[in-house]
Amino acid sequence: MSVIIKSNGVIKMYTKGADSIVKGRLASDQKLVLDDELTKFSRIGLRTLLIAMRTISEPDYTNFKKKVEKLPN
């Protein structure tokens, strides 16, 4: 699931999901720190849900919006 927030000319995309899915979309340097934290949580029996945010450009937003509009309802 993704949410777009446009405020003061800045467009931010937020997404949430299972760690296995969200981790695959992160930059490699972010994954290393995240893996350590997820391992700590799993050792004590906790389940995780990740939330990520990315600032996107107007053209990227336009392309994303077009793709979403083509999806079946």
Side-chain angles (χ1 to χ4, degrees):
M1 171 183 205
S2 294
V3 175
I4 305 286
I5 297 177
K6 191 173 185 179
S7 177
N8 297 324
V10 178
I11 304 169
K12 293 181 180 179
M13 175 185 281
Y14 294 86
T15 191
K16 71 172 181 72
D19 58 3
S20 59
I21 302 298
V22 175
K23 270 181 25 180
R25 297 178 181 171
L26 298 176
S28 58
D29 61 330
Q30 295 173 322
K31 290 178 190 177
L32 295 176
V33 174
L34 185 59
D35 281 339
D36 291 342
E37 295 301 317
L38 291 173
T39 299
K40 288 178 193 176
F41 291 141
S42 68
R43 285 187 183 143
I44 59 174
L46 297 176
R47 297 179 69 192
T48 57
L49 178 68
L50 299 182
I51 299 171
M53 185 278 299
R54 179 179 181 178
T55 302
I56 60 174
S57 67
E58 188 72 41
D60 286 342
Y61 168 72
T62 301
N63 289 334
F64 175 79
K65 184 177 176 185
K66 286 178 185 176
K67 288 178 183 179
V68 169
E69 289 171 347
K70 290 181 182 179
L71 294 174
N73 291 335

